[in-house]
Amino acid sequence: MLNVLLKILGTQQVDMQKDRMELTTVALLEENENCYILHYKEEQEQPAPPVEVCVKIQKDESRVEMTRGGKYASCLIIEKSRRNMCHYGTEFGDILMGISGHAIDTEFDGESGEFTFGYDIDINGALASRNEVKMSFRKNQE
């Protein structure tokens, strides 16, 4: 297991409007025969506790599974050229969304790397947003 400094850049496009989210945090990176696994926490507004996030990226770049724990849990499965139905938890209840993956790329040299994946979200069959996530990391020196 490797302690890394993780920078996440997420972009979301709805119609012609783009929104950007950035997060820098520490994370644990595991590697096994088939995948890379990142574990990190997302801080929430007080008094809500942090959300535990686990991202599994297949080394063959075929699939990403992003699981969020906590009060409003969710699991998104992104596969290239495939649509998956996924539940996304909100304070108003679960939303059933279609997730269509179109890109998954991995780079890792043992101490640093980058995982990038792109996907579309549809709700009731209508395109809701186009998304891209870029996760850059390097071995934490602390």
Side-chain angles (χ1 to χ4, degrees), residues 43-58:
E43 295 297 326
Q44 305 296 304
E45 287 187 33
Q46 293 296 336
V51 173
E52 300 274 341
V53 180
C54 178
V55 182
K56 295 179 184 177
I57 302 102
Q58 294 296 313

Side-chain angles (χ1 to χ4, degrees), residues 56-117:
K56 295 179 184 177
I57 302 102
Q58 294 296 313
K59 287 183 176 180
D60 67 3
E61 300 180 342
S62 64
R63 176 183 168 113
V64 174
E65 182 178 318
M66 185 181 307
T67 307
R68 294 172 50 90
K71 189 173 183 180
Y72 308 114
S74 63
C75 180
L76 300 182
I77 297 172
I78 301 159
E79 293 180 283
K80 284 184 182 177
S81 303
R82 185 168 179 186
R83 181 174 180 258
N84 288 291
M85 298 303 293
C86 301
H87 288 273
Y88 189 81
T90 74
E91 62 185 291
F92 305 107
D94 283 356
I95 297 173
L96 185 60
M97 304 183 305
I99 307 294
S100 301
H102 48 81
I104 301 171
D105 296 301
T106 62
E107 292 180 31
F108 181 51
D109 67 10
E111 291 199 359
S112 65
E114 185 173 279
F115 303 139
T116 306
F117 44 97

